[in-house]
Amino acid sequence: MIAVVTDSTAYLGEAEAVRWGVAVVPLQVAYDDQILEDRTPIDAAAVASALRGRATTSRPSPQVFADAYEQAAARGATGVVSIHLSGDMSGTVDSALIAARDAPIPVEVIDSRSVAMGLGFPVLAAAQAAQRGAALAEVVSAARRCADVTRTFFYVDTLEHLRRSGRIGAAANLVGSALAIKPLMHLGDGAITVLEKVRTAGRAIARLEDLAVGAATDGPVNVAVQHLMASARADALAESLSTRLPKLARMMVVEVGPALGAHVGPGLLGVTISPTAQ
């Protein structure tokens, strides 16, 4: 039996994690002398306070991962596949690698080069392979194949939060005109790149939908619409995509937690497209 471990930025939800037997290690968010686990539900007041206080996120310690791997071994696992958010965004992968060195069973650590459901879909692919009885190498391959074909596009109301966090990358030159434009971005190979610049939120969301449809293959696809404090927009986008993707296998609407929310701010709207095996 192969165990699958991930971190909380996959935002799978407790029921989903339990269903597929995925162990979730939480990141933490610190602000205003408070420390929240990333899986803690947040409301508008908490987000506003966190952003005013320049919230900081911290990776799990190697010991937390070591505990997770030891627990997997104690439950009878013969190996672990540990899949995490992009190493360009967090040191979480490094912590997992340190813990893997002394784990009681073989541990393969994978950098998904993504976050949210760009991480979550590869985790689910690995977990499904593990539940079918696949060997360690096969579970690793399932995760990597899924990560390689999964695409994430997103929109934020302002680039200010990404600028503060240092995660803005190639979009940094847009900050000065952030009030005049609404950038559409792509998260690929661990980095944020700007695809288009439009003038209104409505136009940005319409283009986000078009980009998602264009990224879908001819075969079945899983889709996740992700948001932060933008549930009405997310539901409307999910409904529209459901009508435009005839081979939609699964649609998920996911609200991200404080670890990602602290870096993107309220109004985040993103779409992850993940082709499935036929």
Side-chain angles (χ1 to χ4, degrees):
M1 177 184 75
I2 303 302
V4 176
V5 175
T6 190
D7 61 76
S8 55
T9 65
Y11 299 120
L12 291 177
E14 185 174 356
E16 192 83 3
V18 169
R19 177 186 177 190
W20 294 107
V22 176
V24 180
V25 174
L27 275 71
Q28 292 185 324
V29 180
Y31 72 96
D32 291 349
D33 297 323
Q34 298 186 58
I35 297 178
L36 292 178
E37 284 197 346
D38 190 33
R39 301 174 82 179
T40 304
I42 51 177
D43 58 20
V47 171
S49 178
L51 293 174
R52 282 197 305 270
R54 297 199 178 191
T56 59
T57 56
S58 60
R59 64 183 180 180
S61 69
Q63 185 58 53
V64 174
F65 282 111
D67 292 344
Y69 303 154
E70 288 175 5
Q71 290 165 11
R75 291 192 297 268
T78 56
V80 174
V81 178
S82 199
I83 314 165
H84 303 289
L85 81 158
S86 172
D88 289 351
M89 298 180 176
S90 167
T92 299
V93 164
D94 293 334
S95 287
L97 285 168
I98 291 169
R101 295 172 190 163
D102 298 318
I105 53 178
V107 177
E108 291 282 349
V109 178
I110 297 174
D111 182 343
S112 72
R113 310 299 293 154
S114 192
V115 71
M117 286 306 296
L119 163 61
F121 281 132
V123 170
L124 290 176
Q128 289 161 10
Q131 285 203 2
R132 292 194 299 268
L136 181 63
E138 295 174 276
V139 175
V140 168
S141 179
R144 293 194 186 281
R145 283 197 308 269
C146 183
D148 286 346
V149 298
T150 296
R151 299 289 178 265
T152 295
F153 306 95
F154 70 101
Y155 152 83
V156 290
D157 278 336
T158 173
L159 289 170
E160 179 62 19
H161 308 303
L162 282 168
R163 182 192 67 79
R164 287 183 183 180
S165 70
R167 266 75 171 180
I168 199 168
N173 63 341
L174 297 178
V175 172
S177 58
L179 294 178
I181 63 160
K182 299 295 182 182
L184 288 167
M185 289 170 278
H186 174 243
L187 175 58
D189 196 27
I192 296 171
T193 57
V194 178
L195 293 177
E196 297 180 18
K197 296 172 284 185
V198 297
R199 291 290 177 181
T200 68
R203 179 60 179 159
I205 295 169
R207 284 296 297 139
L208 186 64
E209 180 181 324
D210 290 341
L211 288 168
V213 171
T217 62
D218 293 335
V221 291
N222 290 323
V223 178
V225 175
Q226 295 129 115
H227 71 96
L228 180 61
M229 296 168 56
S231 58
R233 284 178 174 178
D235 289 342
L237 180 56
E239 182 176 358
S240 184
L241 284 171
S242 294
T243 65
R244 293 186 64 184
L245 295 171
K247 293 188 178 180
L248 179 66
R250 183 181 185 188
M251 171 65 73
M252 303 172 67
V253 177
V254 178
E255 184 161 28
V256 304
L260 183 54
H263 298 298
V264 297
L268 164 75
L269 196 61
V271 182
T272 298
I273 303 286
S274 185
T276 69
Q278 299 191 52

